[in-house]
Every structure is written in C-alpha cells, then in structure tokens.
Amino acid sequence: MSFRIEDQSLISLNPANDTEVGRVPVADASGVLAAVKTARTAGLEWSLLSFEQRAEALSYGLRQIVARADELGRLISAEMGKPLAQGVGEAAYSAQHGLDDLIAEARKALVPEMLSEGKLRTTVHYVARGVVAVITPWNFPVNLSLNALIPALLAGNTVVYKPSEYTALTGDLLARLLATGLPDGVLTVIHGAGDVGKALVEAEIDMVAFVGSQLTGQRILEAQARQFNPAVLEMGGKDAMLVLADAELEAAARYAVSGSLRNSGQVCVSVERIYVEEPIADKFENRVRELMQDFKMGDPNDEATQMGPLVSVVQRQKVLDQLADARAKGATIEGGEVPQRAGSWLTPALATGVSDEMALMQDETFGPVIAIQRVKSAAEALEKANALPYGLGGTVWSQDTNKANAIAARLEAGMIGINRGLGGASGSPFVGNKKSTLGFFGSVAGVRQFTQIRTISQEV
Ligand code: ADP
C-alpha cells in the first residue's frame, strides 16, 4: 500500500521508500453529503456569472498552480513515485494548458448559438448541469483532474472533487490553489478511498466525470442510471503498436521503449501490446532490448532518472502475476525483477515470444513491461489489435503512408498515431472507442457534455 487509513486520517506513503508524506482527514458519510449541499448552494450564484467572470476566477487559481508547480510536482513525485522533474512538468504544463487552451476551448463551446427562421429567433444556450462529482486516479493526478475540473467549472457547475487515495495530498493542494480565485463552495475537495467515491456518486449530484478502472466506471454508471445522470468515463485501454516490416526501425524501437516504460508504464495510453511483422522482428527486439537496458530506473529526485517505483506493492503484484502467467505459457521474460529495497520497485521487463492467451496480451498492464508478439502480416496485426474490447489509443509504424493510413482507418481505437505517438493537435479530444470511454475529455464537443441545452424562442 502506499496509503493507509487510520482513525479517519488518510496517511499518504512514498512508494520509493515507504515513508509518510503527510495526512489528510477522510470524509465520513455526513461529510460527503455536506460537501454536495455546499456545492449545490454555491451553484446558485456561480452558474449565473458570465463566462468571462468565471474564466477570470479560474485563471487566478491556475496561475497560482503555475507559480507553485515545484511544490505540487514534489508532492506528485513523493506520493506516486514518478521522477521529480516529470511531476513538476505535469503540474506546470497542465495549469498552463488550462490557461492557454482549455479556457479558449470552453469559450467556443459555451457561447450561445442563434437560429432564425422568418420572424422566429431561437437561442441555444449551454447551461450548467448543477453539481458535478470529479473522481480521478493517481497516475497523472494533476493533469487528469484539471482536464475535468476546468470544463466543469467554466460551464457554471460547482464541483465536489475526490482525488485518488494514493495522491490525496496532491489533490488537496491542487484544489486549494485552484479555489483561491473561486467563491466559497464552488470547488470542494473530499478525501477517502473507493467507499467515499461511492458515497459521492450515490449522493444527489447531477453528473460524474471519472477517470479510473473499468469496473469502477461501470459501478459509477449504474449509480448514475438510478438518477438519470450523465457520466463522462475514461477507463483505460490495451493500446496496440503495429510495427510493419517497412517501419523505420530506430524510431519504432524508441517509441516502443518510452511508450511502454514512461511513468513506470502506469499510463492509460501506454504501449501495451506490440505486434511486429516477422521480417524485422529480430532486429526490432534487439534494438528494444538495448534501449531498455539504457532506461534508467532510480531515485525520483535524481535528474538522470527516467523511471521511479510503481505506485504500490499491490500494483506491482498484479504486474508480477501477469509476467508469471506469460512465463508459464512459454514467453521469455528479461528483467521484471524486484530489487531488495523498501518501496514498490520493479525493473523494466521485456516479454518476447508472447501469444494471445496470455493475460499480458489481454488485460491492461499498469507496469513497466514491453510485450512483443510476432505476426505474419499487417492484416494479422490488425486483427489481433481489434480483438479486445478496449479501444483507447494505438499506433501504426510503416514508411508506406498509404498502407499506414488504411490500417489506421480500420484500427478500432479513439486516438491513433502514424509513425508517432497518439497525442493530437491542440483542440483534439482525448477519446476512446469500444469499452475504453463513455464520452470524452477535451475539445469543444467535450466541454458541452458538462452542460444541458436550453432553447429560448421568440418572434421579433
Ligand atoms: P485506479 O486503479 O486507477 O486507482 P480505480 O477505479 O480503483 O482506479 O480508482 C479511481 C478513482 O475512483 C479513485 O479516486 C477511487 O477512490 C475511486 N473509486 C473507487 N471505487 C469507487 C466507487 N465504487 N465509486 C466511486 N469512486 C470510486
């Protein structure tokens, strides 16, 4: 565990060395209901402010986050183990992205639309839904939270925010900084584990924005169904990387390694399964092996470190179980060792000779594993990539752009990169197909999910 709950306190532990980072109070059932009530009351005024008034209030808080990105980044790193520079980078980038892009995106999304027919004039308004519960995980605790908090608040909703129990202190500071420019009660943070999240989504709220596991997403959706509430859910994936025989080998190998190991592989859009065409498989695997050996796991405070520990020993055990299953079914595993030291460390692993029936190729692996399967053709790679119920991201690697585009068009995923990662240009949604997401974050259409639509018509 890298947290523990004792006497209504959540004690956050550092997964690099098991020491205490700090503690926050856990909400009890009445605390959850009180937070929702506070949000409901605050919404009466907040929802009536103009967009520009709300944007100004939120910008103030975002600037505080930029100014204190070092402190916030240090907490991210201490609570979930990512290298310090990456924690600071996440905090600074996410708040700046909010200021530079997300506010402008929301402005476009929320401006009323005018329709006319003869003398009839109709205005389509995008109005607040009410109280939104924002529930997020620990792997990018600032980025994923802001991506939900910013559109929810700009649309005139008030928010009760429950950060992950693994990154409660990060969530607490994030919420306090963001709230500095907001009227009281517009953003309330509550802490606790899944039971507190459950109490929140079963309270009288109007919408949920959630990032986390598929099972939790399903439970949240069931709770919202009882209230006829919408939910925006992002629930992870099993992203495939298709490496065709004519791929630029060095670029593909580099992406395979960084995409599999970044954030210790604890990324919903990490490279989870690599399908490589046989003619280049030997060379590809050899180059990946070399690059993996150079990938530096170490103290998160050390500047040269590329990868810290996993978030918890529970998480590590899930990865070890997948590696053991793969080994038992005939895969060769290099690395994937547990060093003799405190914390939840796991060295990077390369799995070759893997096949479809292994858990490693079926279920999400939240760990530093590079899994490579050889295939006879691009068609076989595509078939395997599409065989799972997940569909978040994916990448296609080939120097024949026509072929790569034809495969990308048939790849059942929400975000696809050709000869690069899957991140889109500014304004792109963060979206999955199939069972990876319901709704999505980002983009003009994404912001509108945080609103209800009201038309007002009159003759002029
Ligand atoms: P992860 O393994 O990525 O942490 P989870 O789905 O377990 O994914 O957790 C994501 C977030 O959902 C966390 O903030 C967690 O506390 C919360 N959560 C867990 N169970 C529930 C539930 N039944 N209802 C609402 N939120 C929950």
Side-chain angles (χ1 to χ4, degrees):
M1 291 304 254
S2 63
F3 75 94
R4 123 175 142 249
I5 292 181
E6 247 174 51
D7 303 331
Q8 287 300 107
S9 272
L10 191 159
I11 301 164
S12 184
L13 304 171
N14 186 329
N17 52 27
D18 292 339
T19 57
E20 179 177 333
V21 185
R23 49 185 75 197
V24 287
V26 171
D28 59 13
S30 65
V32 173
L33 296 183
V36 172
K37 196 166 167 220
T38 300
R40 173 84 52 212
T41 308
L44 297 175
E45 285 187 16
W46 177 248
S47 63
L48 295 180
L49 296 182
S50 70
F51 175 83
E52 295 308 332
Q53 286 171 313
R54 287 197 291 264
E56 197 179 318
L58 205 70
S59 298
Y60 184 86
L62 289 171
R63 286 196 296 271
Q64 307 311 306
I65 298 173
V66 173
R68 287 173 65 179
D70 280 356
E71 190 183 340
L72 196 53
R74 213 171 302 124
L75 270 183
I76 301 176
S77 173
E79 288 195 285
M80 59 68 67
K82 75 175 62 178
L84 176 61
Q86 292 176 24
V88 174
E90 178 186 336
Y93 164 80
S94 308
Q96 198 61 50
H97 175 56
L99 287 165
D100 294 343
D101 304 317
L102 299 188
I103 292 177
E105 194 167 89
R107 185 178 285 116
K108 270 192 230 159
L110 300 171
V111 66
E113 288 173 296
M114 312 289 263
L115 306 171
S116 67
E117 183 188 343
K119 286 184 175 173
L120 185 58
R121 299 283 180 273
T122 296
T123 313
V124 182
H125 296 274
Y126 295 96
V127 300
R129 285 189 175 278
V131 178
V132 177
V134 171
I135 299 178
T136 48
W138 45 264
N139 56 339
F140 292 92
V142 169
N143 185 256
L144 297 174
S145 297
L146 284 180
N147 285 349
L149 292 169
I150 292 172
L153 291 166
L154 287 175
N157 302 289
T158 51
V159 170
V160 181
Y161 166 48
K162 198 206 80 66
S164 168
E165 51 273 40
Y166 289 94
T167 47
L169 299 171
T170 302
D172 202 73
L173 180 59
L174 172 70
R176 281 193 288 116
L177 292 175
L178 197 60
T180 47
L182 303 174
D184 283 350
V186 168
L187 171 61
T188 306
V189 60
I190 57 172
H191 296 294
D195 56 323
V196 174
K198 181 171 184 289
L200 174 59
V201 301
E202 289 175 355
E204 256 186 65
I205 54 170
D206 302 291
M207 178 178 177
V208 181
F210 165 79
V211 182
S213 65
Q214 206 173 44
L215 183 63
T216 305
Q218 194 165 35
R219 288 181 176 147
I220 288 174
L221 192 58
E222 282 165 7
Q224 297 324 290
R226 288 195 285 277
Q227 306 197 52
F228 290 99
N229 281 344
V232 174
L233 310 172
E234 198 263 276
M235 298 164 291
K238 188 73 190 164
D239 289 6
M241 172 178 183
L242 281 59
V243 185
L244 308 195
D246 62 357
E248 212 271 275
L249 192 114
E250 181 65 16
R254 285 186 179 278
Y255 183 72
V257 174
S258 63
S260 299
L261 303 184
R262 183 170 79 100
N263 215 33
S264 303
Q266 303 167 125
V267 183
C268 56
V269 288
S270 64
V271 174
E272 290 271 315
R273 314 175 269 157
I274 301 171
Y275 300 111
V276 58
E277 277 195 277
E278 261 162 13
I280 60 158
D282 282 339
K283 274 194 186 154
F284 179 74
E285 284 178 7
N286 288 338
R287 187 63 187 133
V288 165
R289 183 177 295 109
E290 284 171 5
L291 291 167
M292 182 180 90
Q293 280 156 1
D294 291 344
F295 204 87
K296 195 166 175 316
M297 181 184 92
D299 179 353
N301 294 315
D302 183 341
E303 266 179 35
T305 293
Q306 291 171 285
M307 184 185 119
L310 297 196
V311 71
S312 67
V313 288
V314 176
Q315 193 60 45
R316 179 175 67 188
Q317 192 53 49
K318 287 185 194 165
V319 181
L320 288 171
D321 288 348
Q322 284 195 352
L323 291 176
D325 168 76
R327 198 179 280 116
K329 289 174 180 160
T332 302
I333 310 291
E334 298 161 60
E337 280 139 20
V338 175
Q340 289 302 313
R341 59 197 278 192
S344 37
W345 297 87
L346 179 66
T347 65
L350 172 62
T352 51
V354 300
S355 49
D356 297 342
E357 68 280 5
M358 298 172 184
L360 197 53
M361 297 306 270
Q362 295 289 327
D363 306 327
E364 190 168 35
T365 309
F366 240 47
V369 181
I370 310 167
I372 306 179
Q373 181 167 2
R374 296 180 176 214
V375 291
K376 293 204 159 42
S377 63
E380 189 188 357
L382 182 64
E383 191 187 316
K384 288 187 187 303
N386 285 346
L388 300 189
Y390 297 102
L392 197 53
T395 57
V396 183
W397 297 78
S398 164
Q399 293 184 67
D400 178 340
T401 47
N402 286 338
K403 188 161 63 170
N405 273 284
I407 289 174
R410 291 163 64 206
L411 189 57
E412 294 166 359
M415 297 171 288
I416 299 165
I418 295 178
N419 297 325
R420 51 160 284 122
L422 46 79
S426 176
S428 303
F430 190 90
V431 61
N433 287 180
K434 296 163 101 176
K435 293 191 168 52
S436 281
T437 61
L438 188 73
F440 49 92
F441 292 99
S443 80
V444 165
V447 173
R448 288 190 179 150
Q449 297 165 117
F450 289 89
T451 67
Q452 47 196 335
I453 298 175
R454 180 177 298 155
T455 67
I456 300 181
S457 303
Q458 55 203 303
E459 288 194 358
V460 289

